[in-house]
Amino acid sequence: MLLYDIDKVAAGDWHAVGLSKNSTVIGTGNDKKGQIDVTEWMDIKQILAGYIHSLGMKFNGKVVATGDNKYGTCDVENWCNIVQVLAGSYHSSWID
């Protein structure tokens, strides 16, 4: 059994993501839309989970996302210098 030093958890409808103390992310649950495809995320400061998407904010303010993008919930490639990220069922937003 693998043990992870999880510091924070965010839950969507069918999945959850956990932020470890070493700033990496792990996901569990339904991955039908890629919502827990977070194994390569590093230097993450904040995690969030929506209906079927996940968001991570890096220490440098860059935002990453994975999962269902049907409603544009993962369109975050230009989000930089962000202070806080918010995730809802079918939306994502930020505070700068």
Side-chain angles (χ1 to χ4, degrees), residues 19-48:
L19 179 60
S20 71
K21 290 185 178 179
N22 70 359
S23 304
T24 59
V25 181
I26 184 170
T28 189
N30 183 314
D31 195 32
K32 195 170 192 174
K33 299 288 185 173
Q35 62 266 39
I36 60 171
D37 187 16
V38 296
T39 56
E40 295 185 16
W41 288 9
M42 300 175 150
D43 300 320
I44 301 294
K45 166 179 167 172
Q46 181 186 7
I47 54 169
L48 300 104

Side-chain angles (χ1 to χ4, degrees), residues 21-94:
K21 290 185 178 179
N22 70 359
S23 304
T24 59
V25 181
I26 184 170
T28 189
N30 183 314
D31 195 32
K32 195 170 192 174
K33 299 288 185 173
Q35 62 266 39
I36 60 171
D37 187 16
V38 296
T39 56
E40 295 185 16
W41 288 9
M42 300 175 150
D43 300 320
I44 301 294
K45 166 179 167 172
Q46 181 186 7
I47 54 169
L48 300 104
Y51 173 54
I52 43 181
H53 70 290
S54 300
L55 298 169
M57 184 180 68
K58 296 180 172 246
F59 282 97
N60 66 4
K62 177 95 173 113
V63 178
V64 293
T66 190
D68 186 8
N69 195 34
K70 182 176 180 180
Y71 299 101
T73 56
C74 297
D75 289 340
V76 299
E77 56 276 344
N78 294 322
W79 293 15
C80 300
N81 301 316
I82 304 301
V83 175
Q84 186 174 5
V85 181
L86 309 165
S89 292
Y90 297 104
H91 69 281
S92 302
S93 59
W94 51 269

